[in-house]
Amino acid sequence: KWSDIINEIDLRTMEVDRHYSQDFYEDLGGIRYTSYDFDTDARRISLIGETKSIDTKNFTLIADLIDELNASDFFENGEMRSFSKSGSLDEGYISSLRLTLDLQEEKTLAP
């Protein structure tokens, strides 16, 4: 079910961004998804959003997120092909986020 997949994304994201579910993105930064794109035929999901950081570790946050999602029994082959970052030390840094993930075979999703 797609609701189970979204829940797994949220749980895995909370492992990387401890403030993810607390609506502190504007003040503390972290990860924010703006859309999900599901391709049922290809069994792929795209996660679109951004990361915000008061230091320069946006790419580390993204790499940790990819590793965490790939560690899930739901997903594999997570990747992000393009990285960009803008901002300053005073204002913080924002990076665009566009991850693609393959869904693992259904047999691994059974409870």
Side-chain angles (χ1 to χ4, degrees):
K1 296 188 308 189
W2 290 118
S3 59
D4 291 342
I5 292 169
I6 294 293
N7 186 55
E8 181 70 4
I9 291 168
D10 287 344
L11 291 172
R12 294 295 174 155
T13 302
M14 283 185 250
E15 289 293 319
V16 176
D17 176 5
R18 67 178 188 246
H19 301 294
Y20 174 70
S21 65
Q22 300 174 11
D23 296 325
F24 291 134
Y25 180 82
E26 291 301 325
D27 295 327
L28 301 176
I31 299 167
R32 175 169 51 189
Y33 300 115
T34 54
S35 68
Y36 302 88
D37 181 27
F38 297 101
D39 183 341
T40 306
D41 294 333
R43 301 185 52 81
R44 289 184 70 81
I45 301 170
S46 294
L47 306 175
I48 297 111
E50 63 184 20
T51 65
K52 182 177 178 182
S53 176
I54 56 173
D55 55 24
T56 59
K57 296 184 178 182
N58 296 69
F59 298 153
T60 301
L61 183 63
I62 293 168
D64 290 346
L65 177 61
I66 292 168
D67 288 345
E68 185 65 32
L69 291 167
N70 279 331
S72 168
D73 290 337
F74 281 59
F75 313 113
E76 61 187 355
N77 303 322
E79 65 180 5
M80 183 165 156
R81 294 185 180 214
S82 174
F83 293 86
S84 66
K85 178 169 49 175
S86 63
S88 68
L89 196 52
D90 293 332
E91 308 245 339
Y93 296 90
I94 294 177
S95 294
S96 60
L97 179 68
R98 184 173 181 94
L99 301 175
T100 57
L101 302 160
D102 292 335
L103 285 174
Q104 288 196 19
E105 293 300 317
E106 290 182 39
K107 62 182 166 60
T108 64
L109 299 178

